[in-house]
Amino acid sequence: MKKWTTLSLVSLLSLTLAACGGDEDGPVRIGISGSDTRIWDFVAEKAEEEDIEIEIVTFSDYVQPNIALSEGELDLNAFQTISYFDDFIEERELDLAPIASTVIAPMALYSEKIASIEELPEGATIAVPNEATNLGRALLLLEEAGLIELSDEAGLTGTEQDITSNPKNIEILPVVAGQAPRSLPDVDAAIINNGIAVDAGFSPVNDSIFRESDTATPYINIIAAQSEDTDREDLQRIGELYQEDDVAEFIEEEYDGGMIPTFIPVEDLTDY
């Protein structure tokens, strides 16, 4: 497997100390969540051939990449689904917008105690991410697995109160998404976001006991920018480079189903 070298990996500390705000003459700073930079390393090498320098900035949560983007410390970020993004910017009143779609990163159920969902005991405890859209997505995954049923009103942001059938009396334990892998010794199973699972050393394809199959628009990941920068030529070009066939092939080969390249127009992203 070919290894790609990160062109520029800067820490959040050094970024914060740097002058805020990007411009088309300097490097494009792209924030991601987690330490897996393989796709962006590949895109960065392509961009370098067109004299576009990319700096990859890693974060350990799902909050700071949007805050940093809104404050001008980043030019782009790429780590979140469109549904999470829409919910976050509405709640925080941030002036951000998507400029391109990237991948679907299937959410999955993991366990250190059982090998299949059929082995889940009566009264099992399942940890789920506590953020509104991720919690709703996790509950939909449990419904898809046949473990619970949800009310028709649950939508994308359902909560435990929307569970209408729970034959195994499963206990839902909301935890901070980044802490879900650490909860595994203390629970029967945990639903873990794709990138967090990979960072924790799990293969979403090989190590999960159930993985969502739903490829609905709300769970497509995006590249986001400040609204005033959505027409910047260098940022638009990065979105185009990401969506080229060689990147899709790289993702398919590198992740073996753990990431699914999903390139659709922005207007379709925002209409779900």
Side-chain angles (χ1 to χ4, degrees):
M1 181 183 300
K2 183 175 287 187
K3 294 185 181 293
W4 300 90
T5 304
T6 305
L7 294 180
S8 300
L9 182 60
V10 297
S11 68
L12 177 59
L13 178 60
S14 63
L15 181 63
T16 303
L17 294 175
C20 293
D23 60 69
E24 296 185 50
D25 297 324
V28 176
R29 298 185 288 264
I30 302 177
I32 67 171
S33 180
S35 61
D36 184 1
T37 64
R38 284 173 287 176
I39 299 174
W40 280 106
D41 293 340
F42 186 89
V43 174
E45 291 202 1
K46 287 160 54 74
E48 186 179 35
E49 296 175 1
E50 301 188 12
D51 295 323
I52 300 173
E53 181 185 356
I54 288 177
E55 292 182 355
I56 304 166
V57 187
T58 62
F59 295 82
S60 60
D61 66 5
Y62 288 164
V63 174
Q64 292 306 313
N66 278 331
I67 301 301
L69 179 61
S70 71
E71 293 178 351
E73 296 170 358
L74 300 172
D75 299 287
L76 297 171
N77 69 34
F79 72 99
Q80 62 196 321
T81 65
I82 184 65
S83 57
Y84 177 88
F85 172 80
D86 286 344
D87 185 70
F88 190 97
I89 65 171
E90 180 180 0
E91 178 184 347
R92 303 285 183 121
E93 298 183 343
L94 303 182
D95 193 14
L96 308 178
I99 66 167
S101 62
T102 57
V103 298
I104 285 179
M107 183 179 274
L109 184 66
Y110 300 82
S111 177
E112 292 182 351
K113 299 176 181 177
I114 59 174
S116 69
I117 57 173
E118 289 76 21
E119 297 177 18
L120 271 173
E122 177 80 14
T125 299
I126 298 180
V128 300
N130 66 356
E131 299 87 357
T133 54
N134 281 321
L135 172 58
R137 184 179 182 183
L139 293 177
L140 289 171
L141 185 151
L142 293 178
E143 183 176 50
E144 183 181 353
L147 296 173
I148 63 172
E149 292 181 9
L150 298 168
S151 69
D152 293 338
E153 293 75 31
L156 298 176
T157 55
T159 67
E160 300 97 307
Q161 285 68 46
D162 292 298
I163 298 174
T164 58
S165 176
N166 185 2
K168 286 195 172 185
N169 295 310
I170 292 169
E171 179 184 351
I172 305 298
L173 178 66
V175 299
V176 176
Q179 300 301 314
R182 297 181 185 178
S183 74
L184 280 171
D186 303 315
V187 297
D188 295 285
I191 293 177
I192 307 176
N193 293 72
N194 189 291
I196 293 170
V198 171
D199 271 358
F202 295 112
S203 163
V205 175
N206 299 321
D207 296 328
S208 62
I209 61 173
F210 188 83
R211 189 162 57 106
E212 67 182 357
S213 59
D214 189 359
T215 56
T217 301
Y219 302 134
I220 296 174
N221 282 277
I222 61 164
I223 302 171
Q226 290 191 6
S227 297
E228 65 184 8
D229 288 338
T230 55
D231 292 329
R232 265 180 54 178
E233 290 185 7
D234 55 342
L235 306 188
Q236 284 290 329
R237 183 56 184 151
I238 288 171
E240 293 168 356
L241 289 171
Y242 194 111
Q243 294 185 344
E244 290 181 342
D245 289 344
D246 59 343
V247 176
E249 292 169 3
F250 175 82
I251 293 169
E252 289 167 352
E253 293 174 4
E254 191 78 7
Y255 291 89
D256 189 26
M259 295 278 191
I260 303 168
T262 310
F263 306 150
I264 69 171
V266 168
E267 56 268 25
D268 293 341
L269 269 176
T270 54
D271 182 24
Y272 64 88

